[in-house]
Every structure is written in C-alpha cells, then in structure tokens.
Amino acid sequence: MKSALLSQKFHSRAAAAIMLAVAALYVVLSGGLNNVLPSPGDTGFAFAAPGDWGLPYWWSLGMNVGLNVLIVIYMVALNRAFNVLRSMTWLHVGLFGLMQGAIPRLVTQLNSGTLVCLTIVLCIYLMFSCFDDPGRVRTVFLAFMLLSLGCATQYCFILFIPIFWLVLAQMRILSLRTFLASLFGILTVWIILFGFGIIRPWELHLPRIVGAFEDMDYGAVIYLMVSAGVTAFMLLAGTMLNIMKTIAYNARARAYNGALTLIALATVGAMLLDFNNLLSYIPLLNMCAAYQITHYFVNHRYDRQYIGILAVASVYVALYLWRLTL
C-alpha cells in the first residue's frame, strides 16, 4: 500500500517541481551558463538562426528560459484540455525538465531547438482543438502560418509541414477548405515579408549548413550523441509499449495519440536524416519522449511503479555526472 502511494506521489506537481529544481540546479552549478552553442550556420531561408541574432548574453538566457517555461505550460495545457495522457499527471513535466538539463547549452542560450519545440507544441494544441470540426479553417490557417514563419529562420520547419497535413487527416478535418487554408497560411508569411519590404525576393537563399560539431571537442560530441540516442531509445520503447493500449481508446483519443506518435517518429527520422542540424531537434525529442514515457506509466499502474520512474530519472542523473567528467 505504501509503495502504491509513493508511486502516485511521483505523478504529483510537487514531484515535477523537484525534478525541475534538480535540472535547474545542475545547469547552474555545472558551469552550463558559460557554454556557448556552436553556430548552426545560416539555417533559414530568409533570416539567421536564433543563435546568431546577436542578442546580449543575459537577454538570450532570459528569453530562452522564458520560452522553455512556455513549452512546459503548453505541455500541461495540452493534457488538461484534451486528456492526452488519460490522467491528470505532472510526470511528463518533470521528465522534460530532466531531459533538458542533460544538455545545459540548450537551456542557457536562445537557439533553434527551443523555437522548434515551442512552435510544434503550439501547433499540436491548435490541431487538437479542431478534431472533427472541419469548419475551423482559421485555426488551421494559424497553425500553418506559424510553421511557415519558422521556415524563415530554420529550414527544419519545412519537414513538419507534410507531417501536419497528415495530422489534419488524423483530426478528421482534411478537406479542400482546410488544405487551402493551410496553403494560404504558408503563403501569408511570405506575402507579408515581401509586401512590407522586410525581405526582398533576391535575398531569399538556400540554407548553408555547417557541421554541428565542428566547434566541439570529441568528448562533447560523444556525450551529445549518447544523450540524444538514449532519449530516442526511450521514446521508441515507450511508443511501442503504448500501442496496444491506445488501440482500445475511443476515436478522439486514438487520433490525439496517433498524432503525437507521428510527430515523435518524424522527429527521430529527421534527426537521422538531418544529422548536422541535430541540436535543433533535441528539445522536441525530449518533449515527445516525456509524453510517451509518462503515457506508459499511466497505462501500466502497479504498486512499485516508482522504481521504474526512478530508473528513468537515474539515467539522466548518470548523464549529468558523466558530463562533469568531460
């Protein structure tokens, strides 16, 4: 009985706050505030990547931390509004914090990864609100406008546009009207940029990508690859273990979880195909993994569940300690 109660405590807001505090304390005390992300190159079709905006250090830090807080808020809102996890749990918030803390540089400096993660979770929220309501063309328009705006500064957003067309189908709203709304949302960004003279047509260019690891030492590269690989493995394992449970859900819940699974698999695939831009996908990978792992623990309740949760957390604590030796 005590074991079951302890396991339940790990889904509470207090447990999530402790995990976030551990991650934040590690980022500060491990010297993460002095790390600078290597330049990802000119990764946008019109503008520089967020890491190259030339913001003062403390502005960059404050903005990035604030955007991470927004990601957490939308993660909570997504579950509260649509019951994605089938339980009012805070575990996914705590796990996301631990995963983010494993690579402090992605927390302490404004970067493409944070922008990608926030935009995608916001678009997911917008899409979920349209389930079985094809009349919500304005919402579809807004979601694709956000994706298109992201393309101006980070080309990886273009990889998610066809993914969200599939999400339209999963939400049962794919029609000529919604498809046209998505196209108009994509075009509107560029019409505004050109129409107001923010950019000129001849200033458009293909992204010029440099190696993501050129400015990093060998040990840091290995650490980054292992950290991302561990999270990707947990994400895929959690997804596979959740499949049989989600099949038994009602149509709405299956659509929501199917969309999250699709985005998670697309993220892993994009990381493999676009390896030089790996840092831009890691926060989104962390968010997807936090959802899938939490969904597993919600679906499989057992008295000593806290042992499994602690095992997952201990993996990231081990990564924390390993990073201190580099």
Side-chain angles (χ1 to χ4, degrees):
M1 192 66 179
K2 291 182 179 179
S3 296
L5 183 60
L6 181 58
S7 295
Q8 186 178 355
K9 292 290 186 183
F10 273 86
H11 290 270
S12 67
R13 185 184 305 180
I18 291 173
M19 292 183 195
L20 290 173
V22 169
L25 189 63
Y26 171 76
V27 168
V28 174
L29 297 182
S30 67
L33 293 176
N34 296 320
N35 288 331
V36 178
L37 283 170
S39 173
D42 190 0
T43 57
F45 292 102
F47 305 120
D52 291 330
W53 287 355
L55 296 174
Y57 172 75
W58 289 106
W59 275 96
S60 179
L61 170 64
M63 288 180 64
N64 199 58
V65 171
L67 292 179
N68 272 274
V69 171
L70 276 178
I71 292 171
V72 169
I73 290 172
Y74 271 105
M75 288 176 68
V76 174
L78 199 63
N79 191 43
R80 284 191 172 181
F82 307 108
N83 196 24
V84 177
L85 295 172
R86 315 291 286 181
S87 174
M88 297 312 295
T89 176
W90 287 77
L91 178 60
H92 58 308
V93 171
L95 292 178
F96 175 74
L98 288 177
M99 293 172 182
Q100 285 286 87
I103 305 177
R105 288 170 297 177
L106 291 176
V107 178
T108 59
Q109 182 187 14
L110 186 63
N111 61 87
S112 295
T114 303
L115 194 64
V116 169
C117 185
L118 178 60
T119 303
I120 296 300
V121 72
L122 177 55
C123 289
I124 291 171
Y125 188 94
L126 293 172
M127 288 293 98
F128 282 9
S129 70
C130 297
F131 179 79
D132 203 21
D133 187 1
R136 299 284 298 276
V137 291
R138 293 181 181 179
T139 303
V140 173
F141 173 90
L142 177 58
F144 281 86
M145 188 174 71
L146 290 173
L147 293 174
S148 182
L149 181 59
C151 291
T153 188
Q154 173 54 248
Y155 71 88
C156 76
F157 279 99
I158 203 170
L159 303 176
F160 289 97
I161 290 176
I163 297 300
F164 273 88
W165 279 330
L166 294 176
V167 172
L168 288 179
Q170 288 185 311
M171 295 299 107
R172 299 183 177 184
I173 58 172
L174 181 59
S175 65
L176 180 59
R177 286 187 67 199
T178 54
F179 182 71
L180 288 176
S182 71
L183 291 181
F184 289 143
I186 294 169
L187 292 173
T188 295
V189 170
W190 301 96
I191 291 172
I192 292 173
L193 292 177
F194 294 145
F196 285 90
I198 299 173
I199 60 171
R200 296 174 175 82
W202 56 86
E203 292 176 337
L204 290 178
H205 57 272
L206 292 176
R208 292 184 293 274
I209 311 303
V210 300
F213 310 121
E214 288 182 359
D215 298 329
M216 301 171 66
D217 60 60
Y218 181 76
V221 171
I222 295 298
Y223 173 82
L224 181 63
M225 293 173 62
V226 171
S227 177
V230 166
T231 303
F233 173 78
M234 290 188 177
L235 165 60
L236 295 175
T239 301
M240 294 301 295
L241 291 170
N242 288 330
I243 286 178
M244 295 308 296
K245 286 284 188 178
T246 55
I247 289 175
Y249 290 168
N250 59 35
R252 182 186 292 267
R254 286 200 307 271
Y256 291 159
N257 283 280
L260 288 175
T261 299
L262 177 62
I263 291 168
L265 296 179
T267 302
V268 174
M271 291 173 66
L272 294 174
L273 295 174
D274 189 21
F275 190 71
N276 277 336
N277 202 23
L278 180 68
L279 293 168
S280 297
Y281 300 101
I282 290 179
L284 180 58
L285 175 77
N286 292 341
M287 187 200 76
C288 292
Y291 265 112
Q292 294 295 338
I293 294 169
T294 301
H295 200 185
Y296 168 78
F297 285 119
V298 168
N299 279 335
H300 301 81
R301 297 280 189 176
Y302 46 93
D303 286 352
R304 298 185 183 276
Q305 188 185 86
Y306 69 90
I307 296 176
I309 297 173
L310 286 174
V312 173
S314 67
V315 169
Y316 290 93
V317 172
L319 287 173
Y320 288 3
L321 297 176
W322 177 23
R323 180 179 167 275
L324 292 177
T325 66
L326 298 178

